[in-house]
Amino acid sequence: MRSRYDNPDLTPPWKRKQAVPEVPAERDLVVEEVTTGFCGAVVRCEKTAEGPTVTLEDRFGKHRVFPMAPRGFLLEGRTVTLVRPTGGAPAPSGPRLTASGSLAVPGARARVARAGRIYVEGRHDAELVEKVWGDDLRIEGVVVEYLEGVDDLPAIVERFAPGPGARLGVLVDHLVPGSKESRIAAQVSGDHVLVVGHPYIDVWEAVKPASVGIAAWPQVPRGTDWKLGVCRALGWEPNTGAAWRRILGGVRTYKDLEPALLGRVEELIDFVTAPDAS
């Protein structure tokens, strides 16, 4: 089921006809090159005989040089033309974007916590949300807590007593039709409670395999502890805590996560920060 959080336009962004902005290629600006999908932070700009180029550094420290062609890059998902900053070289500056892809707000203070909350299933979910959306959540005053499973969600919602000034958003693992999770979600959902989920057995799978350095997440036989099964299949030490630290260490920005998770978290943030939720 599509929502406004899913992009229905399948036309490659660089082929769209509207005018695009020119953006100075300042140091640490994170962009994606449109023809290769290479994503990285600007390291430097140079003038060559063929024209200006920009060097990008990805999360693994790999450098690639690209021509600064018109409509050649994506910034926050939008097509832009990079231009050389005043003076010709990238001016030192702080990161322009948060890990979630939002524009950073230098010197911003955390807002006093709202009455509304976002609940996630477990500690790993909470740590992943914090790593990618933490800056945004602090500015919005949204606190994230974890449930350690969804079985007690009805009782938690009842104690929370959601209302117009205190909305509750819940992120659930493996929320698919006919599942236990879907039945619980239907039981508690309402005007002031939004339950959304991703299709993965565990939030580990919501991290793109390439970000972890693997080809794909392994198939684990039914009846086997999924996380331990993953560790065994990948040849990792059978220590789920160490495995999670390894996985989380591969996440730098929203680009390391699957769209099925990204859209749902953004939806929850919008829900709990809506005008009647403040």
Side-chain angles (χ1 to χ4, degrees):
M1 181 178 296
R2 287 194 177 275
S3 73
R4 67 187 181 91
Y5 298 92
D6 300 306
N7 181 10
D9 186 355
L10 301 181
T11 304
W14 62 93
K15 292 185 179 180
R16 296 171 193 163
K17 300 300 184 183
Q18 67 268 28
V20 299
E22 293 187 345
V23 177
E26 296 180 343
R27 188 182 302 276
D28 293 328
L29 180 72
V30 178
V31 295
E32 178 180 344
E33 203 276 330
V34 296
T35 60
T36 63
F38 186 89
C39 179
V42 172
V43 175
R44 61 181 171 271
C45 297
E46 296 178 296
K47 187 176 181 180
T48 70
E50 292 76 23
T53 63
V54 61
T55 301
L56 304 182
E57 180 181 30
D58 72 5
R59 61 181 174 275
F60 302 113
K62 181 179 179 180
H63 286 197
R64 288 190 62 176
V65 180
F66 297 100
M68 295 171 68
R71 311 173 68 89
F73 298 86
L74 300 179
L75 174 62
E76 295 188 271
R78 301 175 184 174
T79 306
V80 299
T81 297
L82 290 186
V83 296
R84 300 181 73 207
T86 303
S93 65
R96 293 286 304 275
L97 303 177
T98 68
S100 72
S102 301
L103 289 174
V105 183
R109 294 184 178 182
R111 173 176 170 163
V112 175
R114 296 171 180 266
R117 292 286 187 275
I118 291 177
Y119 277 89
V120 297
E121 279 209 48
R123 182 170 60 85
H124 292 179
D125 306 68
E127 290 176 349
L128 184 61
V129 169
E130 162 60 28
K131 185 162 189 179
V132 176
W133 287 275
D135 290 340
D136 309 71
L137 293 168
R138 280 183 283 279
I139 290 175
E140 296 291 348
V142 177
V143 175
V144 175
E145 301 182 19
Y146 61 90
L147 305 167
E148 297 188 349
V150 299
D151 291 341
D152 295 331
L153 184 56
I156 291 172
V157 171
E158 184 177 359
R159 288 197 300 271
F160 187 85
R167 288 186 168 193
L168 181 61
V170 184
L171 179 69
V172 176
D173 297 341
H174 200 231
L175 187 62
V176 296
S179 66
K180 173 189 72 175
E181 290 81 2
S182 67
R183 292 190 293 272
I184 293 175
Q187 182 181 344
V188 302
S189 295
D191 291 342
H192 307 298
V193 179
L194 175 65
V195 182
V196 299
H198 56 73
Y200 308 113
I201 294 173
D202 189 271
V203 77
W204 288 18
E205 278 192 296
V207 178
K208 291 181 178 178
S211 300
V212 188
I214 61 177
W217 290 104
Q219 297 293 318
V220 176
R222 293 178 65 87
T224 301
D225 181 281
W226 188 83
K227 290 179 179 177
L228 289 176
V230 166
C231 292
R232 283 195 291 267
L234 295 176
W236 296 352
E237 178 186 357
N239 180 325
T240 57
W244 173 241
R245 289 192 292 273
R246 180 174 185 166
I247 294 166
L248 189 62
V251 176
R252 284 185 57 186
T253 73
Y254 72 99
K255 292 182 179 292
D256 296 307
L257 304 181
E258 298 288 358
L261 175 67
L262 292 173
R264 303 295 77 76
V265 175
E266 297 285 352
E267 192 172 355
L268 289 176
I269 294 173
D270 281 357
F271 179 76
V272 300
T273 58
D276 71 340
S278 56

